[in-house]
Amino acid sequence: ILDIPKDNLRKYDDVSFVEKIIGTKVNDLYIGRNDILAIVESEDEVKDLNIDLQLLNNSDVRGLIVSAPATHYDFVSRFFAPSAGVNEDPVTGSAHTTLIPYWSRRLDKTSLKAKQLSQRGGVLYCEDMNDRVFIGGKAVQYLKGEISI
């Protein structure tokens, strides 16, 4: 379980720009510390996104989170950050520091189950803990090391 500071969201007004990037209608739009959060109508829209990565790469944000309510989860999402060298991240902890406060407030609940719909995908168990979020799920160790200072 990751214990991370919660992102602070504020409304973002450039709806037409984000709609050009994602190719579908945006219902709600916010910006957090580093990323834009676009809320669309359905899980299928998130699954079928065809992102204009070049246009996104030319923006002044680290990344774009696209999310919608879901059938078997509280919400689904995808995360794109070509300017950070990641066209689409499979499962993104930092994006959920933005997603959890939004969906917690919208659904009026603090415990949430989410799915990231990338090709690899992943299920996350999330908790809104006031100024922090807990993000848990299955993980695979890919590196082990030791640092001496």
Side-chain angles (χ1 to χ4, degrees):
I1 295 175
L2 300 173
D3 175 355
I4 307 175
K6 183 190 300 191
D7 200 356
N8 294 311
L9 304 175
R10 59 191 186 281
K11 281 292 211 178
Y12 189 66
D13 295 328
D14 204 347
V15 174
S16 62
F17 174 67
V18 174
E19 287 178 342
K20 284 179 194 171
I21 293 171
I22 67 174
T24 193
K25 183 180 182 309
V26 171
N27 290 348
D28 216 354
L29 193 61
Y30 293 87
I31 190 162
R33 192 172 30 255
N34 301 311
D35 305 316
I36 295 171
L37 170 60
I39 305 298
V40 298
E41 188 67 30
S42 73
E43 184 173 346
D44 285 338
E45 283 181 283
V46 175
K47 190 181 334 174
D48 297 335
L49 285 172
N50 187 13
I51 299 292
D52 184 334
L53 293 171
Q54 184 65 33
L55 189 56
L56 176 57
N57 194 38
N58 291 330
S59 71
D60 59 353
V61 296
R62 177 188 72 154
L64 173 64
I65 308 160
V66 183
S67 185
T71 306
H72 301 293
Y73 303 92
D74 291 303
F75 63 91
V76 294
S77 65
R78 289 177 68 188
F79 178 71
F80 307 91
S83 68
V86 180
N87 286 345
E88 181 171 6
D89 193 39
V91 183
T92 316
S94 63
H96 283 77
T97 66
T98 304
L99 287 158
I100 295 166
Y102 174 83
W103 287 107
S104 178
R105 189 171 50 245
R106 179 167 165 180
L107 299 174
D108 194 27
K109 58 195 290 190
T110 57
S111 293
L112 302 158
K113 186 175 176 184
K115 183 164 187 183
Q116 196 154 331
L117 297 175
S118 65
Q119 186 174 5
R120 186 183 88 196
V123 175
L124 299 106
Y125 301 92
C126 311
E127 292 278 336
D128 187 329
M129 305 296 291
N130 297 319
D131 62 338
R132 302 188 70 79
V133 294
F134 291 173
I135 306 165
K138 291 184 179 180
V140 175
Q141 182 176 334
Y142 72 94
L143 180 68
K144 186 175 183 177
E146 191 173 303
I147 299 174
S148 298
I149 298 178

